[in-house]
């Protein structure tokens, strides 16, 4: 039987503002594929013109994802290489991508990530908040009940939380967050990699006072709940289990002992003595 050649699907990250934030590998991939599937072909055309790349563009966005996927899979099966790009940053992160990726896995088509810019990672690393453990929640749900449940989840989380938000909804969202989270520390990362890049740090209340008429693109990073019930659950573990929990999370002995002492509200020497021979 004739072997069906399969093309590859390349998931190519593009800049989130500054056009220099594109890797050499991303440029080469965009040059070498047969087709570029783009969230907004006009938007991607500007990037391609800047890079002096001429390529066939096919639109692939939230509203035609289900319809387009069959056609793109056919082309991949014919042996065509396709690059998937979104308007900004990493496809699949609050952008189309998930459906075609699932389909490629089903059809045994190779998916190759071409890493690059992503707003949430860059907001997190510059936030000054805990980067060891974090949760990305994307945009909060619009449905009131689900939204409230999510914010309750944030309240109890002992991990840094990252949210995307539109600027005109920021104040309202911060007010909703304040009702449940009260005085939690928050960082607003605005216009990352662009001329007006800015970080606003403070309690939710302080930020609400500063966020009238804020424009541009925004990421909200929320400090972990340091007294969360999730963390307190660790106190129900045996000391050995408690130790292993932090060990699995990559902490060294000194850090683990400090953490356990803090969780259990005991002197760290007491814990140190217990693990002296470990
Ligand atoms: N796929 C993108 C990524 O990798 O970050 C995210 C796309 S999502 C539709 C758009 C949201 O990402 C914006 O509403 C904003 O919250 C965030 N975002 C994108 N670019 C940004 C930037 N330059 N500065 C701050 N936030 C940005």
């Amino acid at each position: 039987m004739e072997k069906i050649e399969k093309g590859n699907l390349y998931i190519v990250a593009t800049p989130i503002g500054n056009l220099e934030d594109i890797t050499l590998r991303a440029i080469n991939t965009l040059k070498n594929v047969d087709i570029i599937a783009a969230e907004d072909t006009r938007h991607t055309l500007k990037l391609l013109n800047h890079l002096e790349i001429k390529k066939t563009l096919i639109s692939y966005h939230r509203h035609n994802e289900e319809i387009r996927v069959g056609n793109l899979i056919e082309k991949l099966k014919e042996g065509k290489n396709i690059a998937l790009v979104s308007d900004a940053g990493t496809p699949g992160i609050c952008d189309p991508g998930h459906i075609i990726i699932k389909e490629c896995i089903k059809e045994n088509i190779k998916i190759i990530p071409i890493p690059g810019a992503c707003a949430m990672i860059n907001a997190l690393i510059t936030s000054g908040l805990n980067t060891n453990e974090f949760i990305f929640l994307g945009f909060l749900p619009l449905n009131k009940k689900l939204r409230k449940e999510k914010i309750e989840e944030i309240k109890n989380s002992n991990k840094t939380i990252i949210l995307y938000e539109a600027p005109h909804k920021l104040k309202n969202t911060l007010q909703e967050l304040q009702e449940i989270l009260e005085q939690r520390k928050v960082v607003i990362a605005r216009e990352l990699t662009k001329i007006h890049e800015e970080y606003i740090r403070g309690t939710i209340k302080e930020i609400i006072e500063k966020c009238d008429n804020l424009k541009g693109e925004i990421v909200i990073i929320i400090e972990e709940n340091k007294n969360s019930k999730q963390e307190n659950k660790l106190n129900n573990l045996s000391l050995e289990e408690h130790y292993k929990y932090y060990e699995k999370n990559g902490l060294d002995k000194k850090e683990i002992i400090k953490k356990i002492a803090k969780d259990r509200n005991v002197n760290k020497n007491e814990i140190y003595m217990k693990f002296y021979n470990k």
Side-chain angles (χ1 to χ4, degrees):
M1 201 172 81
E2 192 187 317
K3 190 172 176 279
I4 300 171
E5 276 292 319
K6 277 184 182 159
N8 296 329
L9 178 70
Y10 295 86
I11 311 295
V12 182
T14 57
I16 54 169
N18 189 325
L19 289 183
E20 291 188 5
D21 291 330
I22 184 151
T23 67
L24 293 175
R25 195 167 167 227
I27 297 172
N28 284 331
T29 305
L30 294 175
K31 272 185 189 158
N32 291 326
V33 290
D34 302 293
I35 298 162
I36 299 175
E39 188 182 7
D40 179 341
T41 51
R42 282 173 306 176
H43 188 95
T44 299
L45 194 58
K46 283 186 204 150
L47 176 69
L48 295 183
N49 287 341
H50 173 78
L51 299 171
E52 297 179 352
I53 297 173
K54 276 197 164 45
K55 201 59 62 177
T56 307
L57 285 166
I58 291 184
S59 89
Y60 181 82
H61 50 70
R62 201 170 309 148
H63 306 292
N64 71 2
E65 220 176 342
E66 304 262 5
I67 307 164
R68 268 298 143 77
V69 75
N71 180 252
L72 291 174
I73 293 289
E74 250 171 56
K75 293 196 183 314
L76 286 159
K77 281 182 171 175
E78 283 165 14
K80 299 260 191 284
N81 284 308
I82 300 181
L84 176 71
V85 298
S86 61
D87 285 354
T90 302
I93 302 296
C94 288
D95 271 342
H98 184 56
I99 293 178
I100 189 164
I101 288 167
K102 269 198 319 192
E103 211 48 38
C104 284
I105 294 168
K106 224 195 267 170
E107 297 289 340
N108 215 11
I109 290 166
K110 203 164 164 188
I111 310 153
I112 302 170
I114 309 292
C118 182
M120 64 117 163
I121 289 295
N122 289 287
L124 173 70
I125 57 172
T126 45
S127 68
L129 301 181
N130 183 5
T131 55
N132 285 333
E133 291 187 283
F134 58 89
I135 300 177
F136 173 60
L137 294 177
F139 293 93
L140 282 174
L142 294 176
N143 174 289
K144 267 196 170 173
K145 187 168 167 275
L146 297 178
R147 200 171 167 89
K148 191 149 186 274
E149 276 170 17
K150 268 284 168 239
I151 302 178
E152 287 291 346
E153 213 179 297
I154 296 174
K155 181 184 178 186
N156 296 320
S157 174
N158 59 356
K159 297 172 181 49
T160 305
I161 304 285
I162 313 164
L163 299 175
Y164 281 168
E165 189 50 290
H168 63 282
K169 293 185 181 167
L170 178 66
K171 192 163 185 175
N172 191 37
T173 299
L174 286 175
Q175 280 162 345
E176 286 175 288
L177 288 170
Q178 195 195 8
E179 272 172 34
I180 296 178
L181 309 184
E182 297 169 5
Q183 290 311 304
R184 196 82 69 81
K185 212 165 139 189
V186 159
V187 179
I188 303 295
R190 191 175 80 85
E191 293 287 85
L192 291 167
T193 78
K194 303 184 198 176
I195 298 168
H196 298 293
E197 180 173 294
E198 178 186 28
Y199 302 91
I200 311 171
R201 302 169 208 270
T203 61
I204 306 180
K205 184 170 180 281
E206 285 164 349
I207 293 182
I208 290 173
E209 285 159 13
K210 293 181 196 163
C211 77
D212 273 326
N213 303 322
L214 265 194
K215 293 197 174 71
E217 297 195 277
I218 279 159
V219 183
I220 307 174
I221 312 106
I222 305 169
E223 186 174 48
E224 82 237 54
N225 178 353
K226 292 191 166 142
N227 306 308
S228 95
K229 288 188 197 115
Q230 283 173 30
E231 203 155 358
N232 291 340
K233 270 189 203 155
L234 295 173
N235 298 351
N236 297 329
L237 303 175
S238 71
L239 262 185
E240 288 286 334
E241 288 166 338
H242 202 155
Y243 189 97
K244 280 201 181 113
Y245 170 83
Y246 284 126
E247 196 171 42
K248 262 196 223 148
N249 281 298
L251 269 59
D252 66 27
K253 190 171 175 179
K254 207 170 143 198
E255 289 169 323
I256 296 175
I257 289 172
K258 223 167 117 185
K259 279 258 192 201
I260 296 178
K262 194 171 167 228
D263 292 347
R264 296 184 178 235
N265 203 15
V266 294
N267 189 303
K268 69 173 186 280
N269 288 335
E270 203 179 299
I271 307 292
Y272 184 80
M273 292 308 285
K274 297 237 161 70
F275 291 105
Y276 193 66
N277 295 320
K278 253 175 116 29

